[in-house]
Amino acid sequence: QVQLVESGGGLVQPGGSLRLSCAVSGSIRSINAEGWYRQAPGKQRELVAAIDSGGSTNYVDSVKGRFTISRDNAKNTVYLQMNSLKPEDTAVYYCNADLWQFDSGSGSYSLYDYWGQGTQVTVSS
């Protein structure tokens, strides 16, 4: 059974830093793309940062220059380094991954979408 296990959230003062981790466990062939989303109270979930299989990244404008997404392929883990945090970064952060898995029904590999359980990030003095 594939799971995405997140860690690293918490309470931090404005200007501080946190690093989120998302580890993929279970039987997969490879990771196609991964991303971090966030959802603040009363707001829609938004894509914060993404990284594709080739290592290309993109970010929402509000975090450019402050957040960095990266991946350790050997550990099947994606990270989100968050620096210069602001109160408006407060949200539940979710990891998302598109994973290649063997589909016994079709006898071939297919892409499946998974979500982590979410981790709370609170930026407050």
Side-chain angles (χ1 to χ4, degrees), residues 6 14-15 17 22 28 39 42 44 47-49 69-70 72-73 75 79 82 92-93 101 108 116 124:
E6 302 172 16
S17 298
C22 174
I28 64 170
Q39 188 166 21
Q44 288 188 331
L47 176 63
V48 176
I69 188 170
S70 61
D72 184 331
N73 291 324
K75 297 181 179 179
Y79 304 96
M82 305 185 294
V92 178
Y93 284 70
Q101 288 181 271
S108 62
S124 175

Side-chain angles (χ1 to χ4, degrees), residues 2-25:
V2 173
Q3 284 186 310
L4 305 186
V5 180
E6 302 172 16
S7 61
L11 172 64
V12 64
Q13 292 186 341
S17 298
L18 284 174
R19 189 177 81 155
L20 306 182
S21 300
C22 174
V24 178
S25 64

Side-chain angles (χ1 to χ4, degrees), residues 81-100:
Q81 178 66 44
M82 305 185 294
N83 298 329
S84 302
L85 282 160
K86 304 176 181 180
E88 50 264 43
D89 294 318
T90 295
V92 178
Y93 284 70
Y94 298 91
C95 175
N96 174 263
D98 291 332
L99 309 175
W100 287 102

